[in-house]
Amino acid sequence: QVQLVESGGGLVQAGDSLRLACAASGRTFSRYALAWFRQAPGKGRDFVAAISQNNAAYYSGSVQGRFSISRDNEKNTVYLQMRSLKPDDTAIYYCAAGTTATRRPDNYNTWGQGTLVTVSA
């Protein structure tokens, strides 16, 4: 089973860009579907983006066209490139690994600790 560690969060202004990274341990990274979820203060955990083992990508409607998910199997890392950030994007961002790239959090059995993204107006 992989272990996941996110990085790249921080404080940015509306309209800025930010790239999150999630590094995985283990030698079976390429076998996993990977996803990013986020949790805003006082809210539930929401799907952001997912990428399958063969690089098919899926996005929530709220980030479609602004965020891009990618993976580098050589580096055991999944990325989330975020552009045109809005204050509503403020949340803790979690990466997750599972067997199938879906929007359902219960499909993923391994989670990182999260990284905070704060977007000021």
Side-chain angles (χ1 to χ4, degrees), residues 76-96:
N76 280 12
T77 302
V78 59
Y79 302 97
L80 185 68
Q81 178 68 53
M82 305 184 292
R83 298 180 176 86
S84 301
L85 282 161
K86 306 174 182 179
D88 285 349
D89 294 318
T90 295
I92 299 174
Y93 284 72
Y94 299 90
C95 68

Side-chain angles (χ1 to χ4, degrees), residues 1-2 24-34 51-55 71-74 76 96-101 107-109:
Q1 188 172 356
V2 295
S25 63
R27 293 181 287 182
T28 59
F29 181 79
S30 63
R31 299 180 185 178
Y32 289 92
L34 303 159
I51 187 166
S52 71
Q53 292 86 336
N54 63 356
N55 287 321
R71 64 189 298 164
D72 186 335
N73 289 339
E74 294 297 319
N76 280 12
T99 56
T100 305
N107 181 70
Y108 300 90
N109 53 19

Side-chain angles (χ1 to χ4, degrees), residues 3-24:
Q3 292 184 321
L4 305 172
V5 178
E6 302 96 334
S7 62
L11 173 63
V12 296
Q13 293 184 332
D16 285 352
S17 298
L18 200 61
R19 189 177 79 159
L20 306 182
C22 176

Side-chain angles (χ1 to χ4, degrees), residues 28-49:
T28 59
F29 181 79
S30 63
R31 299 180 185 178
Y32 289 92
L34 303 159
W36 288 93
F37 289 78
R38 66 186 181 185
Q39 187 165 13
K43 297 187 177 180
R45 191 167 295 191
D46 293 330
F47 171 77
V48 176

